[in-house]
Coordinates of all heavy atoms in Angstrom, one line a residue:
M1119 N 1.3 -0.8 -3.4 CA 0.7 0.3 -4.3 C -0.8 0.3 -3.9 O -1.3 1.4 -3.8 CB 0.9 0.0 -5.7 CG 0.2 0.9 -6.7 SD 1.0 2.5 -6.6 CE 0.0 3.3 -7.8
P1120 N -1.6 -0.8 -3.9 CA -3.1 -0.7 -3.6 C -3.4 0.0 -2.3 O -4.5 0.5 -2.1 CB -3.6 -2.1 -3.8 CG -2.6 -2.8 -4.5 CD -1.3 -2.1 -4.2
D1121 N -2.4 -0.1 -1.3 CA -2.7 0.5 0.0 C -2.3 1.9 0.1 O -2.4 2.6 1.1 CB -1.9 -0.4 1.1 CG -2.5 -1.7 1.2 OD1 -3.7 -1.9 0.9 OD2 -1.7 -2.6 1.6
S1122 N -1.9 2.5 -1.0 CA -1.4 3.9 -1.0 C -2.7 4.9 -0.7 O -3.8 4.6 -1.3 CB -0.9 4.2 -2.4 OG -0.7 5.7 -2.5
P1123 N -2.4 5.8 0.1 CA -3.6 6.8 0.3 C -4.0 7.5 -1.0 O -5.2 7.9 -1.1 CB -3.0 7.7 1.3 CG -1.6 7.6 1.3 CD -1.2 6.2 0.8
Y1124 N -3.2 7.6 -2.0 CA -3.7 8.1 -3.3 C -4.8 7.3 -3.9 O -5.6 7.9 -4.6 CB -2.5 8.4 -4.2 CG -1.5 9.3 -3.6 CD1 -0.2 8.9 -3.3 CD2 -1.7 10.7 -3.5 CE1 0.8 9.8 -2.8 CE2 -0.8 11.6 -3.1 CZ 0.4 11.1 -2.6 OH 1.3 12.0 -2.2
V1125 N -4.6 6.0 -3.8 CA -5.7 5.1 -4.4 C -7.0 5.4 -3.7 O -8.0 5.5 -4.4 CB -5.2 3.7 -4.3 CG1 -6.3 2.7 -4.7 CG2 -4.0 3.4 -5.0
Y1126 N -7.0 5.4 -2.4 CA -8.2 5.6 -1.7 C -8.8 7.1 -2.0 O -10.0 7.3 -2.1 CB -8.1 5.4 -0.2 CG -7.7 4.0 0.1 CD1 -6.6 3.6 0.7 CD2 -8.6 3.0 -0.2 CE1 -6.2 2.4 1.0 CE2 -8.3 1.7 0.0 CZ -7.1 1.3 0.6 OH -6.7 0.0 0.9
G1127 N -7.9 8.0 -2.0 CA -8.3 9.4 -2.3 C -8.9 9.4 -3.8 O -9.9 10.2 -4.0
G1128 N -8.3 8.7 -4.7 CA -8.9 8.8 -6.1 C -10.2 8.1 -6.2 O -11.1 8.6 -6.9
I1129 N -10.4 7.0 -5.4 CA -11.7 6.3 -5.4 C -12.7 7.3 -4.8 O -13.9 7.4 -5.3 CB -11.7 5.0 -4.7 CG1 -10.8 4.0 -5.4 CG2 -13.0 4.5 -4.3 CD1 -10.5 2.7 -4.6
V1130 N -12.4 8.0 -3.7 CA -13.3 8.9 -3.2 C -13.7 10.0 -4.1 O -14.8 10.5 -4.2 CB -12.8 9.4 -1.8 CG1 -13.6 10.6 -1.3 CG2 -12.7 8.3 -0.8
A1131 N -12.6 10.5 -4.8 CA -12.9 11.6 -5.8 C -13.8 11.2 -6.9 O -14.7 12.0 -7.3 CB -11.5 12.1 -6.3
L1132 N -13.5 10.0 -7.4 CA -14.5 9.5 -8.5 C -15.9 9.3 -8.0 O -16.8 9.7 -8.7 CB -13.9 8.2 -9.0 CG -12.6 8.2 -9.8 CD1 -12.1 6.8 -10.1 CD2 -12.7 9.1 -11.0
A1133 N -16.1 8.8 -6.8 CA -17.4 8.7 -6.3 C -18.1 10.0 -6.0 O -19.2 10.2 -6.4 CB -17.4 7.9 -5.0
L1134 N -17.3 11.0 -5.6 CA -17.9 12.3 -5.3 C -18.3 13.0 -6.6 O -19.4 13.5 -6.7 CB -16.9 13.2 -4.5 CG -16.9 13.0 -3.0 CD1 -15.8 13.8 -2.4 CD2 -18.2 13.3 -2.4
I1135 N -17.5 13.0 -7.6 CA -17.8 13.6 -8.9 C -19.0 12.9 -9.5 O -19.9 13.5 -10.0 CB -16.6 13.5 -9.8 CG1 -15.4 14.4 -9.3 CG2 -16.9 13.9 -11.2 CD1 -14.2 14.2 -10.0
S1136 N -19.0 11.6 -9.4 CA -20.2 10.8 -9.9 C -21.5 11.2 -9.2 O -22.6 11.2 -9.8 CB -19.9 9.3 -9.8 OG -18.9 8.9 -10.5
Y1137 N -21.4 11.4 -7.9 CA -22.6 11.7 -7.2 C -23.1 13.2 -7.4 O -24.2 13.5 -7.6 CB -22.4 11.4 -5.7 CG -23.7 11.8 -4.8 CD1 -24.7 11.0 -4.9 CD2 -23.7 12.9 -4.1 CE1 -25.8 11.3 -4.1 CE2 -24.8 13.3 -3.3 CZ -25.9 12.4 -3.3 OH -27.0 12.7 -2.6
I1138 N -22.1 14.0 -7.3 CA -22.4 15.5 -7.5 C -23.0 15.9 -8.8 O -23.7 16.8 -8.9 CB -21.2 16.4 -7.1 CG1 -20.9 16.2 -5.6 CG2 -21.4 17.8 -7.5 CD1 -19.5 16.7 -5.2
T1139 N -22.5 15.2 -9.9 CA -22.8 15.7 -11.2 C -24.0 15.0 -11.8 O -24.4 15.1 -13.0 CB -21.7 15.5 -12.2 OG1 -21.2 14.1 -12.2 CG2 -20.4 16.3 -11.8
I1140 N -24.8 14.3 -11.0 CA -26.0 13.5 -11.4 C -27.0 14.6 -11.9 O -27.4 15.5 -11.2 CB -26.6 12.7 -10.4 CG1 -25.7 11.6 -10.0 CG2 -28.0 12.1 -10.9 CD1 -26.2 10.7 -8.8
P1141 N -27.4 14.5 -13.2 CA -28.4 15.5 -13.7 C -29.8 15.2 -13.1 O -30.1 14.2 -12.9 CB -28.4 15.3 -15.2 CG -27.8 13.9 -15.4 CD -27.0 13.6 -14.3
T1142 N -30.6 16.3 -13.0 CA -31.9 16.3 -12.5 C -32.8 16.9 -13.5 O -32.6 18.1 -13.9 CB -32.1 16.9 -11.2 OG1 -31.1 16.4 -10.2 CG2 -33.4 16.8 -10.5
P1143 N -33.8 16.2 -14.0 CA -34.0 14.7 -14.0 C -33.0 13.9 -14.6 O -32.3 14.4 -15.5 CB -35.4 14.6 -14.7 CG -35.4 15.7 -15.7 CD -34.7 16.9 -15.1
F1144 N -32.9 12.6 -14.3 CA -31.7 11.7 -14.7 C -31.9 11.7 -16.3 O -30.8 11.6 -16.9 CB -31.8 10.4 -14.1 CG -30.7 9.5 -14.4 CD1 -29.5 10.0 -13.8 CD2 -30.7 8.4 -15.2 CE1 -28.3 9.2 -14.0 CE2 -29.6 7.6 -15.4 CZ -28.4 8.1 -14.8
Q1145 N -33.0 11.6 -16.9 CA -33.2 11.6 -18.3 C -34.0 12.8 -18.7 O -34.9 13.2 -18.0 CB -34.0 10.3 -18.8 CG -33.3 9.0 -18.6 CD -34.0 7.8 -19.1 OE1 -35.2 7.9 -19.3 NE2 -33.3 6.7 -19.4
P1146 N -33.7 13.4 -19.9 CA -34.4 14.6 -20.3 C -35.9 14.2 -20.5 O -36.3 13.0 -20.8 CB -33.8 15.0 -21.6 CG -32.5 14.1 -21.8 CD -32.6 13.0 -20.8
H1147 N -36.8 15.2 -20.3 CA -38.2 14.9 -20.6 C -38.4 14.5 -22.0 O -37.7 14.9 -22.9 CB -39.1 16.1 -20.1 CG -39.0 16.3 -18.6 ND1 -39.5 15.5 -17.7 CD2 -38.4 17.3 -18.0 CE1 -39.3 16.0 -16.5 NE2 -38.7 17.1 -16.6
H1148 N -39.5 13.9 -22.3 CA -39.9 13.5 -23.6 C -39.9 14.7 -24.7 O -40.5 15.7 -24.4 CB -41.2 12.8 -23.8 CG -41.6 12.2 -25.1 ND1 -41.0 11.2 -25.7 CD2 -42.5 12.7 -26.0 CE1 -41.5 11.1 -26.8 NE2 -42.5 11.8 -27.1
G1149 N -39.1 14.6 -25.7 CA -39.0 15.6 -26.7 C -38.0 16.7 -26.4 O -37.9 17.7 -27.1
E1150 N -37.4 16.7 -25.2 CA -36.5 17.8 -24.7 C -35.1 17.3 -25.1 O -34.7 16.2 -25.1 CB -36.6 17.8 -23.3 CG -36.3 19.2 -22.7 CD -36.6 19.2 -21.2 OE1 -37.7 19.4 -20.8 OE2 -35.7 19.0 -20.4
E1151 N -34.3 18.3 -25.5 CA -32.8 18.1 -25.8 C -32.1 17.8 -24.5 O -32.5 18.4 -23.4 CB -32.3 19.4 -26.4 CG -32.8 19.6 -27.9 CD -32.2 18.7 -28.9 OE1 -31.1 18.4 -28.8 OE2 -33.0 18.4 -29.8
P1152 N -31.1 16.9 -24.5 CA -30.3 16.7 -23.3 C -29.4 18.0 -23.0 O -29.0 18.6 -24.0 CB -29.4 15.5 -23.7 CG -29.5 15.3 -25.2 CD -30.7 16.0 -25.6
S1153 N -29.3 18.3 -21.8 CA -28.5 19.4 -21.3 C -27.0 19.0 -21.4 O -26.7 17.9 -21.5 CB -28.9 19.9 -19.9 OG -28.6 18.9 -19.0
I1154 N -26.2 20.0 -21.2 CA -24.8 19.8 -21.2 C -24.4 18.9 -19.9 O -23.5 18.2 -20.0 CB -24.0 21.2 -21.2 CG1 -22.5 20.9 -21.3 CG2 -24.2 21.8 -19.8 CD1 -22.1 20.5 -22.7
Q1155 N -25.2 19.1 -18.9 CA -25.0 18.3 -17.7 C -25.2 16.8 -18.0 O -24.5 15.9 -17.5 CB -25.9 18.8 -16.5 CG -25.5 18.1 -15.3 CD -26.4 18.7 -14.1 OE1 -27.3 19.3 -14.3 NE2 -26.0 18.1 -12.8
H1156 N -26.3 16.5 -18.8 CA -26.5 15.1 -19.2 C -25.4 14.6 -20.0 O -24.9 13.4 -19.8 CB -27.9 15.0 -20.0 CG -29.1 15.2 -19.2 ND1 -29.7 16.4 -19.2 CD2 -29.7 14.3 -18.5 CE1 -30.8 16.2 -18.4 NE2 -30.9 15.0 -18.0
V1157 N -25.0 15.3 -21.0 CA -23.8 14.9 -21.9 C -22.6 14.7 -21.1 O -21.9 13.6 -21.2 CB -23.6 15.9 -23.0 CG1 -22.4 15.5 -23.9 CG2 -24.8 16.1 -23.8
F1158 N -22.3 15.5 -20.2 CA -21.0 15.3 -19.3 C -21.2 14.1 -18.5 O -20.3 13.3 -18.4 CB -20.8 16.5 -18.4 CG -19.8 16.3 -17.4 CD1 -18.4 16.4 -17.7 CD2 -20.1 15.8 -16.1 CE1 -17.5 16.1 -16.8 CE2 -19.1 15.6 -15.1 CZ -17.8 15.7 -15.5
Y1159 N -22.4 13.9 -17.9 CA -22.5 12.8 -16.9 C -22.5 11.4 -17.7 O -21.8 10.5 -17.2 CB -23.8 12.9 -16.2 CG -24.0 11.9 -15.0 CD1 -23.2 12.1 -13.9 CD2 -24.8 10.8 -15.1 CE1 -23.2 11.2 -12.9 CE2 -24.8 9.9 -14.1 CZ -24.1 10.1 -13.0 OH -24.2 9.2 -11.9
Y1160 N -23.1 11.4 -18.8 CA -23.0 10.1 -19.5 C -21.7 9.9 -20.1 O -21.2 8.6 -20.1 CB -24.1 10.1 -20.6 CG -25.5 10.2 -20.2 CD1 -26.4 10.9 -20.9 CD2 -26.0 9.6 -19.0 CE1 -27.7 11.1 -20.5 CE2 -27.2 9.7 -18.5 CZ -28.2 10.5 -19.2 OH -29.4 10.6 -18.8
G1161 N -21.0 10.8 -20.5 CA -19.6 10.7 -20.9 C -18.6 10.3 -19.8 O -17.8 9.4 -19.9
W1162 N -19.0 10.9 -18.6 CA -18.2 10.5 -17.4 C -18.4 9.0 -17.0 O -17.4 8.3 -16.8 CB -18.6 11.4 -16.2 CG -18.1 11.0 -14.9 CD1 -18.7 10.4 -13.9 CD2 -16.8 11.4 -14.4 NE1 -17.9 10.3 -12.8 CE2 -16.7 10.9 -13.2 CE3 -15.7 12.0 -15.1 CZ2 -15.5 11.0 -12.4 CZ3 -14.5 12.2 -14.2 CH2 -14.4 11.6 -12.9
L1163 N -19.6 8.6 -17.0 CA -19.9 7.1 -16.7 C -19.3 6.2 -17.8 O -18.8 5.2 -17.4 CB -21.5 6.9 -16.7 CG -22.2 7.5 -15.6 CD1 -23.7 7.2 -15.7 CD2 -21.7 7.1 -14.2
T1164 N -19.2 6.7 -19.1 CA -18.6 5.9 -20.0 C -17.1 5.7 -19.8 O -16.5 4.7 -19.8 CB -18.7 6.6 -21.4 OG1 -20.2 6.6 -21.7 CG2 -18.1 5.7 -22.5
A1165 N -16.5 6.9 -19.4 CA -15.0 6.9 -19.1 C -14.8 6.0 -17.8 O -13.8 5.3 -17.8 CB -14.5 8.3 -18.8
I1166 N -15.6 6.1 -16.8 CA -15.4 5.3 -15.6 C -15.5 3.8 -15.9 O -14.7 3.0 -15.5 CB -16.4 5.7 -14.5 CG1 -16.1 7.1 -14.0 CG2 -16.3 4.7 -13.3 CD1 -14.8 7.4 -13.4
S1167 N -16.5 3.5 -16.8 CA -16.7 2.0 -17.1 C -15.6 1.6 -18.0 O -15.2 0.4 -17.7 CB -18.0 1.9 -17.9 OG -19.0 2.4 -17.1
T1168 N -15.0 2.4 -18.8 CA -13.8 1.9 -19.6 C -12.7 1.6 -18.8 O -11.9 0.8 -19.0 CB -13.5 3.0 -20.7 OG1 -14.7 3.2 -21.5 CG2 -12.4 2.6 -21.5
G1169 N -12.5 2.5 -17.8 CA -11.4 2.3 -16.8 C -11.5 1.0 -16.0 O -10.4 0.5 -15.7
F1170 N -12.7 0.6 -15.8 CA -12.8 -0.7 -15.2 C -12.2 -1.9 -15.9 O -12.0 -3.0 -15.3 CB -14.2 -1.0 -14.8 CG -14.8 -0.2 -13.7 CD1 -16.2 0.2 -13.7 CD2 -14.1 0.1 -12.5 CE1 -16.7 1.0 -12.7 CE2 -14.6 0.9 -11.5 CZ -15.9 1.3 -11.6
G1171 N -12.0 -1.7 -17.2 CA -11.5 -2.8 -18.0 C -10.1 -3.2 -17.6 O -9.6 -4.3 -18.0
V1172 N -9.3 -2.3 -16.9 CA -8.0 -2.6 -16.5 C -7.9 -3.5 -15.3 O -6.8 -4.0 -15.0 CB -7.2 -1.3 -16.5 CG1 -7.5 -0.6 -15.2 CG2 -5.6 -1.5 -16.5
L1173 N -9.0 -3.5 -14.5 CA -9.0 -4.2 -13.3 C -8.4 -5.7 -13.4 O -7.6 -6.1 -12.6 CB -10.3 -4.2 -12.6 CG -10.7 -2.8 -12.1 CD1 -12.1 -3.0 -11.5 CD2 -9.7 -2.3 -11.0
P1174 N -8.9 -6.5 -14.3 CA -8.3 -7.9 -14.4 C -6.8 -7.9 -14.7 O -6.2 -8.8 -14.2 CB -9.1 -8.5 -15.7 CG -10.3 -7.7 -15.8 CD -10.0 -6.3 -15.3
L1175 N -6.3 -6.9 -15.4 CA -4.9 -6.9 -15.6 C -4.0 -6.6 -14.3 O -3.0 -6.9 -14.2 CB -4.5 -5.9 -16.8 CG -5.2 -6.2 -18.1 CD1 -4.8 -5.1 -19.1 CD2 -4.6 -7.5 -18.6
M1176 N -4.7 -5.7 -13.5 CA -4.1 -5.4 -12.2 C -4.1 -6.5 -11.2 O -3.2 -6.6 -10.3 CB -4.8 -4.2 -11.6 CG -4.7 -2.9 -12.4 SD -5.5 -1.6 -11.6 CE -4.9 -1.4 -10.0
L1177 N -4.9 -7.5 -11.4 CA -5.0 -8.7 -10.5 C -4.1 -9.8 -10.9 O -4.0 -10.8 -10.2 CB -6.5 -9.1 -10.4 CG -7.4 -8.1 -9.9 CD1 -8.8 -8.6 -10.0 CD2 -7.1 -7.6 -8.5
T1178 N -3.5 -9.8 -12.1 CA -2.6 -10.8 -12.5 C -1.2 -10.4 -12.5 O -0.9 -9.3 -13.0 CB -3.0 -11.3 -14.0 OG1 -3.0 -10.2 -14.9 CG2 -4.4 -11.9 -14.0
K1179 N -0.3 -11.3 -12.1 CA 1.1 -10.9 -12.1 C 1.8 -11.2 -13.3 O 2.5 -10.4 -13.9 CB 1.8 -11.6 -11.0 CG 1.3 -11.1 -9.5 CD 2.3 -11.7 -8.5 CE 1.7 -11.4 -7.2 NZ 2.3 -10.3 -6.4
N1180 N 1.6 -12.3 -13.9 CA 2.2 -12.8 -15.2 C 1.0 -13.2 -16.1 O 0.4 -14.2 -15.8 CB 3.1 -13.8 -15.0 CG 4.4 -13.4 -14.2 OD1 4.9 -12.3 -14.4 ND2 4.9 -14.3 -13.4
L1181 N 0.9 -12.6 -17.2 CA -0.2 -12.9 -18.3 C 0.5 -13.8 -19.4 O 1.5 -13.3 -19.9 CB -0.9 -11.7 -18.7 CG -2.1 -11.8 -19.5 CD1 -3.2 -12.5 -18.5 CD2 -2.7 -10.5 -19.9
A1182 N 0.0 -14.9 -19.6 CA 0.5 -15.8 -20.6 C 0.4 -15.1 -21.9 O -0.6 -14.4 -22.2 CB -0.1 -17.2 -20.6
E1183 N 1.4 -15.4 -22.8 CA 1.4 -14.7 -24.2 C 0.1 -15.2 -25.0 O -0.4 -14.4 -25.8 CB 2.6 -15.2 -25.0 CG 3.8 -14.5 -24.5 CD 5.1 -14.9 -25.4 OE1 4.9 -15.3 -26.6 OE2 6.1 -14.7 -24.8
Y1184 N -0.4 -16.4 -24.7 CA -1.6 -16.9 -25.3 C -2.8 -15.8 -25.1 O -3.5 -15.4 -25.9 CB -2.0 -18.2 -24.8 CG -3.4 -18.7 -25.3 CD1 -3.5 -19.2 -26.6 CD2 -4.5 -18.5 -24.5 CE1 -4.8 -19.7 -27.1 CE2 -5.7 -19.1 -25.0 CZ -5.8 -19.6 -26.1 OH -7.0 -19.9 -26.7
W1185 N -3.0 -15.4 -23.8 CA -4.1 -14.6 -23.4 C -3.9 -13.2 -23.9 O -4.8 -12.4 -24.2 CB -4.4 -14.5 -21.9 CG -4.8 -15.9 -21.5 CD1 -4.2 -16.9 -20.8 CD2 -6.1 -16.5 -21.9 NE1 -4.9 -18.0 -20.6 CE2 -6.1 -17.8 -21.3 CE3 -7.2 -16.0 -22.5 CZ2 -7.2 -18.6 -21.4 CZ3 -8.3 -16.8 -22.7 CH2 -8.3 -18.1 -22.2
V1186 N -2.6 -12.7 -24.0 CA -2.3 -11.4 -24.6 C -2.7 -11.4 -26.0 O -3.4 -10.4 -26.5 CB -0.8 -11.0 -24.4 CG1 -0.5 -9.8 -25.2 CG2 -0.4 -10.9 -23.0
G1187 N -2.5 -12.5 -26.8 CA -2.8 -12.6 -28.1 C -4.4 -12.6 -28.3 O -4.9 -12.0 -29.2
I1188 N -5.0 -13.3 -27.4 CA -6.5 -13.4 -27.5 C -7.1 -12.0 -27.3 O -8.0 -11.5 -27.9 CB -7.1 -14.4 -26.5 CG1 -6.7 -15.8 -26.8 CG2 -8.6 -14.2 -26.3 CD1 -7.2 -16.3 -28.1
S1189 N -6.6 -11.3 -26.2 CA -7.1 -10.0 -25.8 C -6.8 -8.9 -27.0 O -7.6 -8.0 -27.0 CB -6.6 -9.6 -24.5 OG -5.2 -9.4 -24.5
N1190 N -5.8 -9.1 -27.7 CA -5.4 -8.1 -28.7 C -6.1 -8.5 -30.0 O -6.5 -7.6 -30.8 CB -3.9 -8.1 -28.9 CG -3.2 -7.4 -27.9 OD1 -3.8 -6.6 -27.1 ND2 -1.9 -7.7 -27.7
G1191 N -6.3 -9.8 -30.2 CA -7.0 -10.2 -31.4 C -8.5 -9.9 -31.5 O -9.1 -9.6 -32.6
K1192 N -9.2 -9.9 -30.4 CA -10.6 -9.7 -30.4 C -11.0 -8.3 -30.8 O -11.8 -8.1 -31.7 CB -11.1 -10.0 -28.9 CG -12.7 -9.9 -28.9 CD -13.4 -10.7 -29.8 CE -14.9 -10.6 -29.7 NZ -15.6 -11.1 -30.8
P1193 N -10.4 -7.3 -30.3 CA -10.7 -6.0 -30.8 C -10.3 -5.7 -32.2 O -11.0 -5.0 -33.0 CB -9.9 -5.0 -29.9 CG -9.6 -5.8 -28.6 CD -9.5 -7.2 -29.1
A1194 N -9.1 -6.4 -32.6 CA -8.8 -6.2 -34.0 C -9.7 -6.8 -35.0 O -9.9 -6.3 -36.1 CB -7.3 -6.7 -34.1
S1195 N -10.4 -7.9 -34.6 CA -11.2 -8.6 -35.5 C -12.6 -7.8 -35.6 O -13.3 -8.1 -36.6 CB -11.6 -10.0 -35.0 OG -12.3 -9.9 -33.7
C1196 N -12.9 -6.9 -34.7 CA -14.0 -6.2 -34.7 C -13.9 -4.7 -35.5 O -14.9 -4.1 -35.6 CB -14.6 -5.8 -33.3 SG -15.0 -7.2 -32.5
S1197 N -12.7 -4.4 -35.9 CA -12.5 -3.1 -36.6 C -12.8 -3.2 -38.0 O -12.9 -4.3 -38.6 CB -11.0 -2.7 -36.3 OG -10.2 -3.5 -37.0
D1198 N -13.0 -2.0 -38.6 CA -13.4 -1.9 -40.0 C -12.2 -1.8 -40.9 O -12.3 -1.5 -42.1 CB -14.4 -0.8 -40.2 CG -15.7 -1.1 -39.7 OD1 -16.0 -2.2 -39.4 OD2 -16.5 -0.1 -39.3
I1199 N -11.0 -1.9 -40.5 CA -9.8 -1.6 -41.2 C -9.7 -2.7 -42.2 O -9.7 -3.8 -42.0 CB -8.5 -1.3 -40.3 CG1 -8.7 -0.1 -39.5 CG2 -7.3 -1.2 -41.2 CD1 -7.7 0.1 -38.6

């Protein structure tokens, strides 16, 4: 699966979108509202960064139940429910 051409194509697509959509200037000038391009780009970076969280799970074949419990318990302990 990791050697699939779709994986490499997806990585290239993510890199191209990340490069092409960089707002100019990178941060709005002092006192200026962020443009829609700024909002899109920062949201895009957030989505890409969130997706990196799955990488450790892709590198392990069998995850012990203990670690599944730890990884599920941490976010649950931070919620306001």
Side-chain angles (χ1 to χ4, degrees):
M1119 178 70 178
D1121 293 333
S1122 170
Y1124 295 114
V1125 172
Y1126 297 119
I1129 291 170
V1130 169
L1132 292 175
L1134 280 173
I1135 292 170
S1136 298
Y1137 180 74
I1138 292 170
T1139 59
I1140 295 175
T1142 305
F1144 192 68
Q1145 292 183 339
H1147 295 294
H1148 183 68
E1150 208 176 277
E1151 293 283 325
S1153 69
I1154 190 74
Q1155 189 177 11
H1156 287 98
V1157 175
F1158 171 81
Y1159 191 72
Y1160 298 145
W1162 175 257
L1163 291 180
T1164 302
I1166 296 294
S1167 300
T1168 302
F1170 284 144
V1172 78
L1173 290 178
L1175 299 175
M1176 292 176 61
L1177 300 175
T1178 58
K1179 292 192 186 251
N1180 294 323
L1181 196 58
E1183 288 183 22
Y1184 173 80
W1185 291 111
V1186 172
I1188 295 293
S1189 64
N1190 289 334
K1192 181 61 179 164
S1195 68
C1196 296
S1197 68
D1198 290 337
I1199 297 176

